[in-house]
Amino acid sequence: MFHLLNDDIADMDMKTQVKIFMAAFALVMAACSPTIYGIQVDTRQPSASGLDLTGKSVAIVYPGGLGEKEDALIRSFAESLSKQLDASYPESDSVEVYTLPYTTDYLKITQPDSLVNLVMDSNCDVLFLFGRAPAFAVDGYRETDFRMPVTIYDAMAGGNDAMRTFNIVGNAGPEPEKSGDYIGRKVSESFVPQWKTEMVDIYALDNEDWIGALYDAADCRWATAVEKWTSILSSENDLLKRACLEYNLAVGCMLLGRPDLAQDWVELSLRENPTDEAKALSAKLKTILKSKE
């Protein structure tokens, strides 16, 4: 089994949803005032390592010219990791994979200035740089006690969060291509999004427009639901109903990955008619936005 050793694990924050389904749809609506419906939502969280690659371009660089088996292992590892990242971040550009000839100066490129140059040369936001453990340099390919340092440089992060170093440890095994593929799949688990199921509340009235928007939300058509709520809001004068629609719009924007717009909507809702749901959502959005600073 392979695992990562890392002392810099960031807090996880909420990201956009991938699938949404109704837990129950058997509530009785009041005709004159909005009723709350609970929708069960699978929300995407950052990876176990804390690294979020959403919307970022990624490049993997690994050393070449190490020996037949070692080259095969590391190449297979890089290709496997790239495939897993591509599958997990479909909204991002495809991961690019490059190789650099290994020399005794290879370790020098892990310095910040050299990493910045590599990021610029590869035209990426995040760089995964595979190293070579000292034991490999002396003994060549090893089936047991496999160790490889991996340096990650995130050009979109600031300060101490830009650079991280992990050590991949485990047993390589006798078949380098299969072992590299397995390593890539296991290591990717630390960098792909995680999922959390939670409930969100949505307001609805017993009329066609409100119920149509509610069904859209329940079926993961959040953009369509937002459009319908916006349309209903444009002709609504009742302060309570306006506040409920603005709250719904805040929920929709949050789940579409726009917590900034969500905060604007929930503030409007609180000004129109402060509900407990809007107060709770406002506090949640402040936490999300603070984590992005």
Side-chain angles (χ1 to χ4, degrees), residues 18 50 55 59 62 120 134 141 150 154 167 170 181-182 191 212 214 228 257:
V18 169
Y62 66 91
M120 295 177 65
Y141 184 78
V150 176
D154 186 352
N167 283 302
D181 179 70
Y182 173 77
F191 301 111
L214 178 63
K228 290 183 178 180

Side-chain angles (χ1 to χ4, degrees), residues 3-10 47-51 77 127-132 147-153 161-169 187 190-191:
H3 58 281
L4 300 183
L5 305 179
N6 177 26
D7 295 326
D8 181 20
I9 303 296
S47 64
S49 67
L51 184 65
F77 171 23
L127 176 74
F128 283 70
L129 177 66
F130 292 4
R132 192 189 193 199
R147 285 180 173 269
M148 178 189 290
V150 176
T151 300
I152 301 173
Y153 187 84
D161 293 332
M163 181 174 170
R164 311 177 186 200
T165 299
F166 299 85
N167 283 302
I168 300 169
V169 298
V187 168
S190 294
F191 301 111

Side-chain angles (χ1 to χ4, degrees), residues 33-55:
S33 62
T35 299
I36 294 174
Y37 276 71
I39 298 179
Q40 199 169 32
V41 181
D42 282 355
T43 57
R44 187 167 71 179
Q45 312 289 318
S47 64
S49 67
L51 184 65
D52 181 17
L53 301 177
T54 305

Side-chain angles (χ1 to χ4, degrees), residues 14-17 226 249-266 285 288-289 292:
M14 179 172 164
K15 297 298 172 186
T16 57
Q17 94 295 343
V226 164
L249 284 164
V251 173
C253 289
M254 177 182 68
L255 294 175
L256 287 170
R258 291 298 306 271
D260 52 336
L261 291 180
Q263 185 63 33
D264 292 340
W265 280 116
V266 81
L285 287 166
I288 293 171
L289 291 169
K292 294 180 177 294

